[in-house]
Amino acid sequence: MKRHIGSCSCGEIEFCFENDPINSIFCYCKACQALTGSDKWFGVWVPKDNFNFTKGTPSSYTRKGNSSQNVNYLFCGKCSTAVCAEITAGNFYSVSATALQNNEFQPRMSIYASSAPSWATFPSGLPTFDTLPPGMGG
Ligand SMILES: [Zn+2]
Ligand SMILES: [Zn+2]
């Protein structure tokens, strides 16, 4: 079984997940822009059952997602690295690809492109959706 590990930048929080993610996305929504200080968040989607924190306890912040179900952001209270967001509507974590020790995944799609700033960059050759792909909730 494949195991992926990651951490915040100060090392207080560590996590791991098993198997490859079910999706990997660039998200250009406003919340992700505020979170990252850039045009997008690179998230890999991991079913909750496959994910565990192995060191430390993250701080959390909860907001209502577009489906009006909770999105729980989990971040290091010491260095403020956003480690992942729990998407309760989909029962998965959107794990920060940049927090992984080995950031080997490629984005497969761009979502919430309609919220992107005018200077945002989109990877070429990938499906780009104004919000979410059809059938993926929202
Ligand atoms: Zn930290
Ligand atoms: Zn987003």
Side-chain angles (χ1 to χ4, degrees):
M1 188 179 294
K2 213 168 172 190
R3 199 159 180 269
H4 304 278
I5 59 173
S7 67
C8 65
S9 63
C10 80
E12 191 94 343
I13 306 291
E14 292 177 2
F15 64 88
C16 72
F17 63 88
E18 284 163 355
N19 300 326
D20 281 338
I22 54 176
N23 201 357
S24 49
I25 52 95
F26 279 174
C27 182
Y28 295 80
C29 80
K30 293 286 186 192
C32 286
Q33 291 176 42
L35 190 71
T36 59
S38 79
D39 56 345
K40 59 185 171 293
W41 159 267
F42 184 9
V44 298
W45 292 2
V46 178
K48 282 182 66 176
D49 287 349
N50 293 357
F51 183 95
N52 280 298
F53 285 102
T54 51
K55 185 186 169 201
T57 304
S59 300
S60 69
Y61 162 69
T62 300
R63 74 172 177 93
K64 291 285 178 206
N66 292 301
S67 61
S68 82
Q69 295 199 53
N70 287 346
V71 177
N72 303 317
Y73 293 95
L74 300 172
F75 58 96
C76 176
K78 196 169 168 189
C79 71
S80 84
T81 302
V83 172
C84 63
E86 179 187 1
I87 314 296
T88 57
N91 205 36
F92 64 84
Y93 288 107
S94 181
V95 178
S96 171
T98 50
L100 294 170
Q101 189 177 77
N102 187 4
N103 186 355
E104 67 192 289
F105 302 108
Q106 301 288 324
R108 290 188 212 156
M109 60 176 70
S110 299
I111 64 174
Y112 288 103
S114 60
S115 307
S118 60
W119 46 264
T121 54
F122 296 91
S124 59
L126 289 187
T128 301
F129 299 95
D130 279 351
T131 56
L132 288 168
M136 211 178 262

